[in-house]
Each structure stands twice: as structure tokens, then as C-alpha cells.
């Protein structure tokens, strides 16, 4: 009997009706005779709503934070009430424990970094959604074991982008998750979150539940992983921007790693590695219509792929210029890389000229202003915000001309397979 990992994204558990549909999908999975790990995201837009709570709290607006949190509590209780009868009281008690954890914190005064509080608050979204779904599955006759993934996945303390301690977590999976399958054939747990050795909650980066599922799949040597989404599969461009976008029915791991790296929203960038290392296939399927084929990502040769177009918004271009009219040299570029690595900031595209080194990063305001401040000790630093990085893989002559001639292009770069332009989005230039 195979062991599989299924991941349900926020939109597939957005409301009571969707959660009912998840149960139907799980019945089908179990008919196939599988042991299954079900990894679930926060309901709908809960993570965004929790981010607002964290921001209000950190900027000293305690009442606003409590009010925003009250709304989140209410919507979860309403969903639980709608779905549950026998298990309602037990589920309510579990939800209330998580509510209390957050509310205690909201009554404190912030004394640590924003990112620390962000993780303590935002992690609750997944804890709430899984509590409700697990109780509903049990009530529907789908016996399952709810697990707090923070007891399994240990991470470092790089809040908001924490890295999993592989050896420690692998041992936990072997010692604590595997034996559960002797008693149940379903484990329900949270994506996106973990905890440090001091039991502080962490998150793995937005949309990180895909990655959590892949880590489980890798550590359990699963037969396959399936990601249930509100789209029909992986597409060659964002259908909201390109109505003519098409579904890619088959992709190999490399192609997806590149798409994710350039900013495609389909799959979390870290998802592929644990799967590719073990040759575990990844299915991306529509939870609205499971009869659709979706996309399979596995080891395969693909000779001709259509152009893939990826937009990465909210970019910032930073230019470091030497201050004494000398050429920029390796030692100076070394300082820039060192600073970026110390502050955990990734470069999305880079370019150098005689006297300057320019690179583009995601504009996370606090982090980037701090970076600019540090770089300012050695360089004259200029920056532009409000930019979009457009990447076209497998481009052709027509696309090349189209994109390089867009208004507001401030940087372009091409290799044989990939073409990138950085363009000004309307507004936001410093
Ligand atoms: N709930 C988290 C987010 O919205 C993680 C995820 O959905 O994968 O980013
Ligand atoms: Mg999501």
C-alpha cells in the first residue's frame, strides 16, 4: 500500500462548502488504498488577515489588532459551527487555545523584531484550519490523527523565511509520524510553519505549504505528492494577465525550479528539491474538477515547451557606485554579496558596469532600507522601487521585440533560453 502526500491550498479550505469538497477528495484518495499525509494551508485569505493583525500590533495599535483578530476568530468559529455537530465542542476548545496564545501576545508591547511577532501571529492560520478540517473529517467517518507540525519540523530562527533542520526533523518524522500509520491511515497537519529549538513558532515563507508537503514526501519516501489548487494545473503564464495561457500537462523538475525562481506563483520555489532528490512525482490538480488531468512534474525529457512568461512584481533595483571614480572591483562586489548574505536577501537579477554594480531584489521595505543603509557605508547607493521583473523563458523573436520595447524598461538581460526585462510599474519611483 502506497503512502502519498496531499496538499490543500487556502482556497480549497476557504469555507465550509470547500472543506466538504476536500473530504470528498480524501475519500477518493483513500479508496485507492493509500496512507495519506494531508497538509493544509490557512483558510482563504486568513494569512493576509493575520499579517494585518501583526502590522497593527507592531505599530502600537493594540485595539485595532485585537479587533482584526476578533474577526478572524469569529469566521473560524462560524465555519466550525456550520460543519461540526459531535466534534464541535472539542474543536472549539482547540481553536480557543490557539486564540488565547495570540491574544496574550497582542497584550504585550513589542520588544523584538517585527518578523518574530509576524511568525508568532501568522502561524495560527494553519493551526486553526487544520483543527477544523481534522474534526470534520473525523465526523465524516474519516479517521485521522491531527499533528502540530511545530513538534516535527525544527527550523532555524530566521523568522518569516525559516530553514528546516533536516536531520532533526527527519528523525522526528521517522520516530513520530511513521509509527502513526500503524493506527490510522491519515495524518492531518499544517503547511508553512515550524518551530525553533526554543519552541518559538516560525514560518517558511509565503505559500510555503507546498514545501512542507514536499518535505514530508521526501522524508517518508512517498509514492507521490499532489497539490490541489484553484487552477487546472501549471500554466505557461498567469491567466489573469494572459487569457490565452495554456496548461502544461507535463514538466520536468528543472523547468519548474526555474519558473518558481523567476517568480511564477504556481509552486513554492523550495518544493521541487526534496521531490527531485528522491524522484517523487508531483501532481498539480484542480480541486474543483478532479477529473481534469492537471500537470505532472517528474523526471522526463521535454523537447519543445511553449514560451513561459513570469511577472515578478514589487521589485527594487539597487545600484552601488564607487565613490572615488575607480572601477568597481571584485573586492567591492564581495562586500555587496557579503552584506546581502548576512541580511538574507536574494538577488533576482544583477548587472555591472565600470563604476557600479546593480541588482534587483524583492522590495520588503524594512529589510531593504536597512540593506541600503549598510551598503551606504561603502558605496553611493541609488534605488528604484515599484518595478516589475518580467522573465520570458523559451522566447522567440516576436516576444523578444515585444518585451524589450515595453515602455519603462530600465534593464534587460538575455541568454539563449531566457530573456528578462525590468520595467517601471506605474508610480513608485524614488
Ligand atoms: N497560508 C500561507 C500563505 O498564504 C501558506 C500557504 O498558503 O502555502 O502564504
Ligand atoms: Mg496558499
Amino acid at each position: 500500500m502506497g503512502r502519498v502526500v496531499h496538499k490543500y491550498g487556502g482556497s480549497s479550505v476557504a469555507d465550509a462548502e470547500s472543506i466538504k469538497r476536500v473530504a470528498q477528495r480524501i475519500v477518493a484518495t483513500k479508496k485507492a488504498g493509500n496512507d495519506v499525509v494531508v497538509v493544509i494551508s490557512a483558510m482563504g485569505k486568513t494569512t493576509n488577515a493575520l499579517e494585518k493583525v501583526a502590522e497593527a500590533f507592531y505599530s502600537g495599535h493594540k485595539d485595532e489588532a485585537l479587533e482584526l483578530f476578533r474577526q478572524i476568530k469569529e469566521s473560524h468559529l462560524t465555519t466550525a459551527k456550520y460543519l461540526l455537530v459531535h466534534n464541535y465542542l472539542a474543536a472549539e476548545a482547540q481553536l480557543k487555545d490557539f486564540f488565547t496564545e495570540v491574544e496574550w501576545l497582542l497584550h504585550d508591547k513589542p520588544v523584538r523584531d517585527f518578523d518574530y511577532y509576524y511568525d508568532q501571529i501568522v502561524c495560527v492560520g494553519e493551526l486553526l484550519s487544520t483543527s477544523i478540517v481534522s474534526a470534520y473529517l473525523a465526523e465524516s467517518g474519516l479517521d485521522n490523527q491531527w499533528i502540530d507540525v511545530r513538534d516535527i519540523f525544527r527550523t532555524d530562527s530566521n523568522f518569516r523565511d525559516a530553514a528546516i533542520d533536516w536531520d532533526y526533523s527527519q528523525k522526528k518524522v521517522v520516530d513520530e509520524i511513521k509509527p502513526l500509520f500503524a493506527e490510522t491511515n491519515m495524518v492531518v497537519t499544517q503547511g508553512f510553519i515550524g518551530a525553533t529549538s526554543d519552541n518559538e513558532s516560525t514560518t517558511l515563507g509565503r505559500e510555503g505549504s507546498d514545501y512542507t508537503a514536499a518535505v514530508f514526501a521526501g522524508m517518508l519516501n512517498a509514492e507521490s505528492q499532489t497539490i490541489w489548487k484553484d487552477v487546472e494545473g501549471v500554466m505557461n503564464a498567469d491567466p489573469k494577465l494572459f487569457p490565452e495561457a495554456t496548461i502544461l500537462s507535463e514538466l520536468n523538475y528543472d523547468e519548474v525550479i526555474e519558473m518558481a525562481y523567476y517568480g511564477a506563483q504556481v509552486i513554492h520555489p523550495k518544493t521541487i528539491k526534496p521531490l527531485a532528490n528522491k524522484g517523487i512525482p508531483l501532481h498539480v490538480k484542480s480541486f474543483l474538477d478532479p477529473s481534469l488531468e492537471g500537470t505532472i512534474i517528474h523526471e522526463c525529457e521535454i523537447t519543445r515547451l511553449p514560451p513561459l512568461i513570469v511577472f515578478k512584481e514589487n521589485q527594487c533595483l539597487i545600484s552601488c557606485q564607487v565613490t572615488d571614480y575607480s572601477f568597481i572591483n571584485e573586492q567591492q562586489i564581495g562586500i555587496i554579496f557579503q552584506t546581502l548574505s548576512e541580511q538574507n536577501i536574494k538577488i533576482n537579477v544583477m548587472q555591472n558596469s565600470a563604476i557600479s554594480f546593480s541588482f534587483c531584489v524583492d522590495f520588503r521595505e524594512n529589510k531593504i532600507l536597512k540593506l541600503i543603509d549598510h551598503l551606504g557605508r561603502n558605496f553611493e547607493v541609488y534605488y528604484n522601487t515599484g518595478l516589475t521583473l518580467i522573465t520570458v523563458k523559451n522566447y522567440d523573436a516576436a516576444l523578444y521585440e515585444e518585451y524589450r520595447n515595453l515602455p519603462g524598461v530600465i534593464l534587460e538581460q538575455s541568454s539563449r533560453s531566457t530573456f528578462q526585462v525590468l520595467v517601471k510599474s506605474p508610480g513608485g519611483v524614488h
Side-chain angles (χ1 to χ4, degrees):
M1 187 162 70
R3 188 160 293 160
V4 294
V5 178
H6 282 246
K7 181 256 169 176
Y8 290 90
S11 50
S12 50
V13 291
D15 50 33
E17 288 313 314
S18 307
I19 293 173
K20 287 185 178 171
R21 213 177 282 127
V22 168
Q24 289 163 15
R25 301 286 164 270
I26 290 175
V27 170
T29 309
K30 298 208 14 171
K31 276 210 185 105
N34 288 310
D35 277 348
V36 47
V37 177
V38 180
V39 173
I40 299 175
S41 296
M43 290 175 65
K45 298 268 178 261
T46 304
T47 303
N48 292 0
L50 287 164
E51 284 185 338
K52 295 263 169 347
V53 174
E55 282 159 16
F57 162 74
Y58 202 72
S59 52
H61 300 118
K62 183 175 117 189
D63 291 344
E64 186 191 339
L66 284 165
E67 169 54 23
L68 290 169
F69 191 62
R70 191 194 57 75
Q71 293 167 17
I72 294 169
K73 283 173 26 177
E74 211 172 272
S75 71
H76 283 83
L77 287 171
T78 307
T79 308
K81 231 176 243 158
Y82 184 88
L83 285 171
L84 303 169
V85 183
H86 307 299
N87 290 343
Y88 179 74
L89 286 177
E92 185 193 51
Q94 194 179 12
L95 297 178
K96 285 191 168 162
D97 281 347
F98 295 128
F99 295 159
T100 308
E101 269 180 44
V102 173
E103 280 165 343
W104 269 356
L105 184 144
L106 294 181
H107 281 98
D108 279 352
K109 281 229 168 358
V111 286
R112 297 180 57 170
D113 270 7
F114 173 71
D115 289 358
Y116 163 78
Y117 291 107
Y118 176 103
D119 280 5
Q120 308 319 302
I121 294 168
V122 165
C123 74
V124 87
E126 269 67 12
L127 293 162
L128 300 176
S129 65
T130 51
S131 302
I132 296 173
V133 174
S134 166
Y136 177 69
L137 293 176
E139 198 162 300
S140 318
L142 293 162
D143 167 58
N144 71 90
Q145 175 69 50
W146 181 90
I147 290 289
D148 186 334
V149 80
R150 296 174 301 174
D151 296 332
I152 306 294
F153 286 170
R154 158 121 6 131
T155 70
D156 63 11
S157 53
N158 183 24
F159 296 106
R160 289 182 78 182
D161 192 18
I164 291 180
D165 174 339
W166 201 272
D167 292 339
Y168 180 93
S169 307
Q170 167 83 67
K171 189 164 171 346
K172 281 281 198 176
V173 166
V174 170
D175 292 350
E176 293 180 24
I177 300 293
K178 270 193 173 163
L180 293 175
F181 287 110
E183 293 146 35
T184 177
N185 49 11
M186 179 164 29
V187 167
V188 174
T189 197
Q190 308 77 37
F192 176 55
I193 67 176
T196 66
S197 54
D198 293 332
N199 278 326
E200 292 171 332
S201 300
T202 50
T203 64
L204 310 176
R206 285 302 306 264
E207 303 300 327
S209 300
D210 296 348
Y211 175 53
T212 302
V215 175
F216 270 117
M219 289 181 176
L220 288 165
N221 290 312
E223 243 171 41
S224 69
Q225 175 179 337
T226 305
I227 297 180
W228 295 94
K229 289 182 77 84
D230 57 353
V231 293
E232 291 173 18
V234 179
M235 306 187 89
N236 71 327
D238 182 348
K240 287 186 213 101
L241 301 170
F242 297 89
E244 69 281 12
T246 54
I247 301 277
L248 304 162
S249 60
E250 188 180 35
L251 286 164
N252 61 38
Y253 297 122
D254 290 353
E255 205 71 36
V256 179
I257 285 177
E258 282 191 66
M259 285 172 79
Y261 176 83
Y262 292 128
Q265 302 278 315
V266 270
I267 291 164
H268 188 277
K270 291 186 195 155
T271 308
I272 296 301
K273 188 170 152 47
L275 301 175
N277 284 346
K278 297 266 176 90
I280 300 168
L282 172 63
H283 301 273
V284 180
K285 302 234 343 150
S286 156
F287 77 91
L288 290 171
D289 187 354
S291 68
L292 295 173
E293 194 197 348
T295 302
I296 176 163
I297 299 155
H298 59 165
E299 201 50 73
C300 63
E301 285 280 334
I302 297 173
T303 39
R304 250 194 79 76
L305 270 177
L308 304 173
I309 305 174
V310 182
F311 279 52
K312 200 171 168 73
E313 280 163 10
N314 197 20
Q315 298 295 294
C316 172
L317 181 69
I318 301 178
S319 294
C320 296
Q321 206 155 311
V322 281
T323 44
D324 62 357
Y325 296 100
S326 61
F327 294 140
I328 191 147
N329 64 29
E330 287 68 19
Q331 197 223 336
Q332 289 155 329
I333 293 178
I335 295 174
I336 299 172
F337 278 109
Q338 183 65 34
T339 315
L340 283 159
S341 137
E342 278 162 12
Q343 303 195 13
N344 252 301
I345 296 172
K346 296 184 204 82
I347 294 184
N348 296 329
V349 73
M350 59 188 152
Q351 211 163 60
N352 70 313
S353 71
I355 56 163
S356 80
F357 182 84
S358 306
F359 57 94
C360 164
V361 292
D362 293 346
F363 187 59
R364 206 182 267 174
E365 192 160 350
N366 292 339
K367 262 191 144 176
I368 298 304
L369 295 181
K370 190 166 149 209
L371 170 73
I372 289 169
D373 190 50
H374 273 251
L375 292 170
R377 295 174 195 165
N378 292 289
F379 304 94
E380 209 160 297
V381 185
Y382 301 92
Y383 70 104
N384 278 6
T385 58
L387 306 175
T388 300
L389 178 63
I390 305 174
T391 303
V392 188
K393 265 200 94 216
N394 316 319
Y395 63 91
D396 56 25
L399 283 168
Y400 181 70
E401 282 311 314
E402 180 184 337
Y403 281 97
R404 66 188 306 237
N405 289 316
L406 283 178
V409 171
I410 60 172
L411 185 151
E412 71 170 76
Q413 212 170 73
S414 61
S415 71
R416 260 177 300 175
S417 68
T418 306
F419 173 60
Q420 292 184 292
V421 287
L422 189 62
V423 294
K424 283 182 192 156
S425 340
V429 182
H430 287 256

